[in-house]
Amino acid sequence: MQHIIKSDHRMFSASDDSTMMKQIQATHAPDGRELDVKPFLHIIEDILRRANPIIDGGFHGTQEHVDHVEDSASLAGFDDILEALAYIIHKISCEISCKCSGGGDAHATTMVLFNTLTSYSWDAKVVLSLAAFAVNYGEFWLVAKLSTTNPLAKSVAFLKQLPDIIEHSNSLKPQYDALKKLIMAMMDLTRCIVEFKELPPQYISHDTPAMSTAIAHIPSASYWIIRCIVACSSQIASLIGLRHEYTASTTEAWELSSLAHKVNNIHEHLKKQLALCYQQIDEKRHLEYYQNLVHLFETPHLDNMKILKALLNPKDELQPLVVGSTKTRANLEVLRKKHVLLLISDLDISHEEVLFLDSMYKEPKRPEIQYELVWLPIVDRLTPLNEEHQHIFEHLQSMMPWYTVYDPWIIETAVIKYIKEVWHFAKKSILVVLDPQGKVASRNALHMVRIWGNHAFPFTSEKEDALWKLENWKLDLLVNGIDVEIPDWIAKGRVVCLYGGEDINWIRKFTTTAKAVAEAAGINLELVYVGKNNSNERLRKNIATINTEQLSHYWPDISSVSLFWARLESMLFSKLQKTVENDYIMQEVMTMLSFDGSDQGWAILFRGSDEMARAKGDLALRSLLEFNEWREEAELNGFVPALKDYLQKLHTPHHCNRLILPGIDGGIPERVVCAECGRPMEKYYMYRCCTD
């Protein structure tokens, strides 16, 4: 053994010597046969795991391992492969036993094994060598383990003069620990080499930098694995004939540790190359999947199943869908030849959004309105799944009576890329509509749905155009489906005033003055506070004050306020997609949104379908305080027309309007004119993080 150690030390320091590599390459003449080494590797792993001794606690080996090896051994066709290779494994086993028992040169022994395996590929060389080693190693520990209980094993151990494992546990432990670490290092490097062999050639070629680097290093890696097998076998052989006296050598343990260090370094280098290969493979697979997705959407289909499978079920799960609120699993067949609305969002989708869709989904529909809704959450694939994300996902899922994907973390990266690049999903939720043949009817019907609900079915651009032709700028358009009392007030001819803003002092002055003016004018005035967009905390405080002081009507459900402003945004973006010039409804929507973007309050008054007046806070309050100036005109022409005329008289050319447009998929228009003066507005960029 000492001779081998000296030789190992000499060769270890010259591991990258080009002469040695030329010797190794000279032995390599593969005959082209393909050998599936995976079944062998399973058996080898099981033998080495089971045989590995634990000095202070007996030997490894559980029923789980037994089941594992039985499963591995039962692989189809494995018996035939093993039968064909039994001779070469036996031959290598004998070579190892003979060469390592005689204290020969480790490098020379390694080269003998390479010459024996000349016709095999590199991965087959190391696996077959490991198989031969596993036979010897397994037999040794089988005898050692049973020698205390089995007469046959005891006699064999006696003839071999093996040291008593328990008796010499303290002196043997350093050797066993070093042996164990080296075997683990050998197996890790072998698995890595096998992984390179199994990389799909259609996605990565040998001239790829990472692959070519690995191919250049695999012969050296194979050499050091077999060299380690020789060292381990020599270590085991050194125990024979030392039944009564065994003196551990720290040099032997050091040598094994040094080899383990060498092999681990090679493994780390190859692992990096393997990671680069997998990265390139993933990129090519994702590109292929993406291109396939593009092709699918460009190709006519008889139904929507190919499209839905590619989007929602890349892993061919039997039941990839689940009804969120009931947790009932479902097959994609439930969506066959149906209109499918894909709700695409991240895990930050607002509860108000979900509740609105819930009311629309559950409301009674005409027989011809048939569709299914599916939530497809987009999760950050770079962020690992944790309990918090899982809890948020499950909570949102429980709020949804429609279908959701069962596991958003298995959605293909290419699908997410397609959704972002083609359907322009960024942060805001979108509602993509697929017709019964899987064709995209709308890239985002959320605007239509917010404005018209189920009346927008089948949610196509043509339907959207038809619905806009029926609309006028009136109060119904603003509050339909939000406030059930307002339509009744309209029918009774009352003046309805919607007002908003955050300044509670202005709200007090405005509502008090408005009530006094209404009484003086002899009109029925209904005041409704609609708050301010994205200001929930301040909104709640204002509503509480308005309720306590009975200043006006209000919407107690904050989600109604959110829907009011979301509908206005949806109206604007719906109009912007049509690129309509001088569209009256679009101008009025922009005015409302600019009111909300200011720091003031504001008010808009309606009576019937054709009377409207509006103004920002100071102007609105001033016009009411100066009611006596236009009282006669109000009595003659009506309250709202007279107010509108007076507001125009008060208007000055000096003004500052701000229009804040959230980043929705419709895009930001290059040119927006001021709702008051008609001049082009300056464009600024604003980034906001609002946790209110």
Side-chain angles (χ1 to χ4, degrees):
M1 183 65 184
Q2 293 299 321
H3 177 72
I4 292 174
I5 289 169
K6 289 177 183 177
S7 175
D8 276 346
H9 181 68
R10 176 177 58 80
M11 284 307 302
F12 183 77
S13 62
S15 60
D16 297 320
D17 184 79
S18 60
T19 303
M20 182 189 75
M21 288 308 302
K22 287 178 182 178
Q23 288 179 341
I24 297 167
Q25 291 284 8
T27 67
H28 187 57
D31 58 11
R33 77 180 107 175
E34 290 295 327
L35 177 61
D36 181 11
V37 299
K38 269 300 193 59
F40 290 95
L41 209 52
H42 288 315
I43 298 295
I44 294 165
E45 287 172 343
D46 191 79
I47 291 172
L48 298 179
R49 186 190 301 115
R50 197 185 301 274
N52 218 354
I54 300 178
I55 299 303
D56 55 358
F59 294 80
H60 285 293
T62 64
Q63 185 60 44
E64 180 184 350
H65 294 155
V66 174
D67 294 340
H68 173 78
V69 71
E70 287 175 352
D71 290 343
S72 302
S74 63
L75 292 172
F78 180 62
D79 284 344
D80 294 338
I81 299 171
L82 188 57
E83 184 178 347
L85 295 171
Y87 173 74
I88 189 69
I89 292 173
H90 177 70
K91 183 178 180 181
I92 299 168
S93 176
C94 292
E95 291 277 10
I96 291 172
S97 296
C98 294
K99 299 293 183 183
C100 294
S101 299
D105 180 87
H107 172 67
T109 302
T110 303
M111 295 310 299
V112 167
L113 298 181
F114 269 108
N115 282 310
T116 304
L117 294 163
T118 186
S119 62
Y120 294 92
S121 59
W122 295 110
D123 62 313
K125 291 180 200 293
V126 293
V127 171
L128 290 173
S129 298
L130 277 170
F133 168 71
V135 170
N136 292 343
Y137 191 70
E139 287 177 353
F140 175 85
W141 286 113
L142 189 63
V143 171
K145 176 183 176 182
L146 297 177
S147 62
T148 57
T149 58
N150 186 287
L152 177 59
K154 185 176 182 180
S155 297
V156 173
F158 180 77
L159 287 177
K160 287 193 172 187
Q161 288 291 288
L162 296 180
D164 187 282
I165 301 299
I166 304 301
E167 183 181 339
H168 296 289
S169 59
N170 290 331
S171 58
L172 290 172
K173 193 174 189 307
Q175 269 64 35
Y176 292 153
D177 288 344
L179 199 61
K180 177 182 176 181
K181 289 177 182 177
L182 181 54
I183 289 172
M184 287 175 62
M186 288 159 46
M187 291 303 298
D188 287 341
L189 183 54
T190 301
R191 292 187 200 97
C192 191
I193 292 172
V194 172
E195 276 194 73
F196 274 108
K197 182 66 178 295
E198 294 183 336
L199 293 179
Q202 68 269 33
Y203 295 115
I204 190 162
S205 62
H206 284 186
D207 57 1
T208 303
M211 192 68 170
S212 61
T213 300
I215 290 171
H217 284 82
I218 283 175
S220 175
S222 302
Y223 171 85
W224 283 105
I225 291 172
I226 297 177
R227 180 68 170 270
C228 290
I229 289 171
V230 172
C232 291
S233 299
S234 297
Q235 176 68 53
I236 295 298
S238 69
L239 297 175
I240 296 174
L242 300 173
R243 181 172 180 79
H244 298 295
E245 293 186 12
Y246 179 80
T247 303
S249 169
T250 55
T251 308
E252 293 174 2
W254 176 86
E255 183 65 29
L256 296 179
S257 297
S258 298
L259 285 169
H261 179 73
K262 171 71 177 179
V263 171
N264 282 329
N265 284 341
I266 298 172
H267 179 226
E268 286 302 315
H269 177 68
L270 284 182
K271 260 204 318 185
K272 290 176 183 177
Q273 304 309 313
L274 187 61
L276 291 172
C277 289
Y278 277 129
Q279 182 181 341
Q280 181 169 336
I281 290 168
D282 286 343
E283 288 172 359
K284 287 195 174 183
R285 278 178 170 160
H286 293 154
L287 179 61
E288 182 182 75
Y289 202 101
Y290 181 87
Q291 291 171 340
N292 179 55
L293 208 54
V294 171
H295 177 72
L296 280 173
F297 276 107
E298 291 174 346
T299 306
H301 302 281
L302 295 175
D303 60 33
N304 53 6
M305 294 310 289
K306 285 185 178 179
I307 296 285
L308 292 175
K309 182 181 179 299
L311 289 173
L312 307 175
N313 193 23
K315 306 297 184 185
D316 286 324
E317 297 282 339
L318 184 62
Q319 295 179 311
L321 302 177
V322 59
V323 178
S325 55
T326 65
K327 305 300 181 188
T328 306
R329 296 289 294 270
N331 191 278
L332 276 184
E333 284 294 324
V334 298
L335 306 177
R336 183 183 288 274
K337 290 190 175 181
K338 291 184 179 179
H339 292 272
V340 176
L341 278 59
L342 295 174
L343 173 60
I344 299 171
S345 75
D346 57 20
L347 296 182
D348 292 328
I349 183 173
S350 70
H351 287 193
E352 290 81 7
E353 190 90 74
V354 176
L355 292 172
F356 164 69
L357 291 171
D358 177 68
S359 64
M360 185 193 85
Y361 186 74
K362 289 179 178 177
E363 74 177 16
K365 306 176 186 68
R366 300 193 308 273
E368 66 271 21
I369 299 178
Q370 297 291 330
Y371 62 83
E372 292 294 346
L373 192 56
V374 179
W375 182 38
L376 174 53
I378 303 300
V379 295
D380 186 358
R381 301 299 290 271
L382 298 177
T383 304
L385 172 62
N386 57 40
E387 288 186 12
E388 181 185 2
H389 292 145
Q390 187 66 32
H391 175 74
I392 294 171
F393 168 66
E394 290 176 357
H395 175 66
L396 289 168
Q397 199 179 44
S398 68
M399 297 173 64
M400 301 177 180
W402 51 80
Y403 295 109
T404 76
V405 294
Y406 179 70
D407 182 2
W409 280 270
I410 67 169
I411 298 301
E412 281 286 341
T413 303
V415 171
I416 296 174
K417 178 184 176 183
Y418 186 90
I419 288 171
K420 290 180 177 180
E421 293 186 359
V422 178
W423 293 344
H424 306 301
F425 170 77
K427 176 69 177 173
K428 294 280 187 178
S429 305
I430 61 173
L431 195 66
V432 178
V433 180
L434 304 179
D435 70 12
Q437 287 73 45
K439 183 180 178 181
V440 176
S442 173
R443 288 184 179 177
N444 190 4
L446 202 53
H447 309 316
M448 276 186 271
V449 165
R450 283 177 182 153
I451 303 167
W452 297 290
N454 286 317
H455 294 292
F457 181 85
F459 312 106
T460 60
S461 180
E462 293 76 17
K463 182 67 175 181
E464 186 177 18
D465 291 339
L467 289 169
W468 273 128
K469 288 177 182 178
L470 301 174
E471 292 292 355
N472 294 308
W473 181 249
K474 56 185 186 294
L475 188 55
D476 277 339
L477 181 62
L478 289 174
V479 299
N480 183 37
I482 298 176
D483 192 318
V484 295
E485 289 188 275
I486 289 179
D488 184 54
W489 296 340
I490 295 172
K492 291 178 179 178
R494 297 180 183 179
V495 176
V496 181
C497 173
L498 305 181
Y499 72 97
E502 293 182 314
D503 187 346
I504 194 62
N505 292 323
W506 179 88
I507 290 171
R508 287 192 181 100
K509 291 176 185 177
F510 175 76
T511 53
T512 302
T513 305
K515 289 175 185 177
V517 169
E519 186 176 353
I523 63 169
N524 291 318
L525 176 67
E526 302 290 353
L527 294 160
V528 182
Y529 178 61
V530 298
K532 186 175 177 65
N533 196 17
N534 295 316
S535 184
N536 288 352
E537 192 57 40
R538 184 73 65 86
L539 182 61
R540 288 188 180 92
K541 291 178 180 178
N542 284 351
I543 286 175
T545 302
I546 291 168
N547 177 46
T548 302
E549 300 179 16
Q550 297 186 335
L551 300 178
S552 72
H553 298 285
Y554 60 88
W555 293 330
D557 188 354
I558 299 295
S559 63
S560 297
V561 177
S562 299
L563 177 58
F564 175 81
W565 291 108
R567 285 185 65 180
L568 281 169
E569 291 173 355
S570 290
M571 290 178 201
L572 176 61
F573 280 94
S574 175
K575 286 291 186 179
L576 288 173
Q577 288 172 3
K578 306 299 176 184
T579 60
V580 179
E581 292 290 335
N582 303 318
D583 185 278
Y584 179 65
I585 293 178
M586 184 171 76
Q587 290 175 356
E588 291 301 321
V589 169
M590 289 171 67
T591 300
M592 293 283 290
L593 291 173
S594 69
F595 283 170
D596 185 61
S598 72
D599 296 324
Q600 302 181 35
W602 58 270
I604 181 167
L605 290 85
F606 288 90
R607 184 179 181 277
S609 59
D610 57 354
E611 296 181 9
M612 181 201 73
R614 53 172 168 74
K616 283 186 182 178
D618 291 344
L619 208 59
L621 182 57
R622 178 184 170 187
S623 66
L624 293 179
L625 289 170
E626 298 175 359
F627 173 61
N628 287 332
E629 299 290 326
W630 51 279
R631 180 194 286 265
E632 290 184 9
E633 188 178 349
E635 292 173 352
L636 183 65
N637 297 325
F639 184 85
V640 175
L643 174 60
K644 182 178 180 180
D645 290 341
Y646 192 72
L647 286 168
Q648 288 177 342
K649 293 176 184 177
L650 294 178
H651 181 72
T652 64
H654 303 289
H655 62 275
C656 181
N657 282 348
R658 288 182 298 178
L659 176 62
I660 300 175
L661 303 179
I664 307 181
D665 69 292
I668 302 300
E670 287 298 318
R671 184 175 182 272
V672 175
V673 298
C674 176
E676 287 196 45
C677 65
R679 291 183 300 178
M681 300 178 77
E682 292 182 271
K683 181 163 64 173
Y684 294 87
Y685 293 98
M686 181 179 73
Y687 298 90
R688 181 178 67 180
C689 176
C690 183
T691 58
D692 185 8

